[in-house]
Structures are given as C-alpha cells and as structure tokens.
Amino acid sequence: VQLQASGGGLVQTGGSLRLSCAASARPTAMAWFRQAPGKDREFVAAIRWTGGSASYSGSVRGRFTISRDNARNSLDLHMTTLLPEDTAVYHCAARDGGRNYPISSQLHVQGTYDYWGQGTQVTVSS
C-alpha cells in the first residue's frame, strides 16, 4: 500500500491547515503521527475505516478533526487554532485492509500500522 500525504505549509498561530493522505488500497484504519525536531514521533489522531470512530491525542482534541473518504481511500486532518508546538513533520499511516480492525486502545500505537507516508511539514509561526 502506498500513501501520499499533502497539504502542509507555513501558517501563523491561530491559523488553520488541512492535510490529506491518499491510500492506494482500502485500509482498516488510518492515523496521523507527527515528529518535531529532536523529539520522538507522537500520535495525533486516528480513525477506523468501518464506522468511522476516531481517537485524538489530548494536545489536539477539540482543535483537530480527522475524517475519511471511503470511496477514495483518503484521509484528511483539519487543523484549527494552530500553535507553535504543532510544528512538526506529519506522517500518515495505514493498517492493512487484510488485518482485523484495531480496537480503540490500539489506535494510538505506532505498531498498529503497517504502512507509512513520507511526511509533510507543518510550521506554525508565533
């Protein structure tokens, strides 16, 4: 499965951005993770492909919204009220469509996902 992320850029504090990720095949779940310079990669948000239940990290809940398009096998992340601490490279990830659907407690775990996109830079200026 190939993942192609897009939509990153430079925005001022308080601004908005939308990230997209196109998958070449239907997954069972997809997620966004991010990695800031000098820090470990961390979970941002995830969504199960059937049912559409979503999970968010505490730092983005209420500001970011994850959604998916079943017909296009694509994933979006609508980010609002952006803060300088949101600056990072954002990676989309997908769980293979042949695997079982992850339970809620697995959605934030990197090992849940089999495929990773190349990343897109988000920079929030203060």
Side-chain angles (χ1 to χ4, degrees):
V1 176
Q2 293 182 334
L3 303 177
Q4 182 66 48
S6 61
L10 173 65
V11 65
Q12 292 184 333
T13 296
S16 300
L17 279 176
R18 183 183 296 274
L19 305 183
S20 296
C21 182
S24 60
R26 182 182 175 90
T28 51
M30 290 188 73
W32 290 98
F33 288 78
R34 66 187 182 187
Q35 187 166 19
K39 295 187 177 181
D40 293 334
R41 187 161 56 187
E42 65 173 4
F43 171 73
V44 176
I47 190 165
R48 286 164 53 102
W49 222 245
T50 296
S53 59
S55 177
Y56 297 91
S57 71
S59 62
V60 308
R61 188 176 295 115
R63 300 188 296 122
F64 292 10
T65 302
I66 192 170
S67 60
R68 89 271 190 246
D69 185 322
N70 283 343
R72 296 189 298 123
N73 291 332
S74 65
L75 179 73
D76 282 349
L77 185 69
H78 186 207
M79 305 183 293
T80 65
T81 319
L82 283 161
L83 304 170
E85 49 263 46
D86 295 318
T87 295
V89 176
Y90 284 69
H91 297 269
C92 60
R95 181 174 175 89
D96 191 274
R99 300 184 67 184
N100 60 301
Y101 284 86
I103 61 177
S104 296
S105 62
Q106 294 175 314
L107 289 173
H108 70 284
V109 178
Q110 295 188 44
T112 294
Y113 303 95
D114 305 295
Y115 309 104
W116 293 82
Q118 83 284 5
T120 184
Q121 177 72 45
V122 171
T123 302
V124 184
S125 63
S126 57

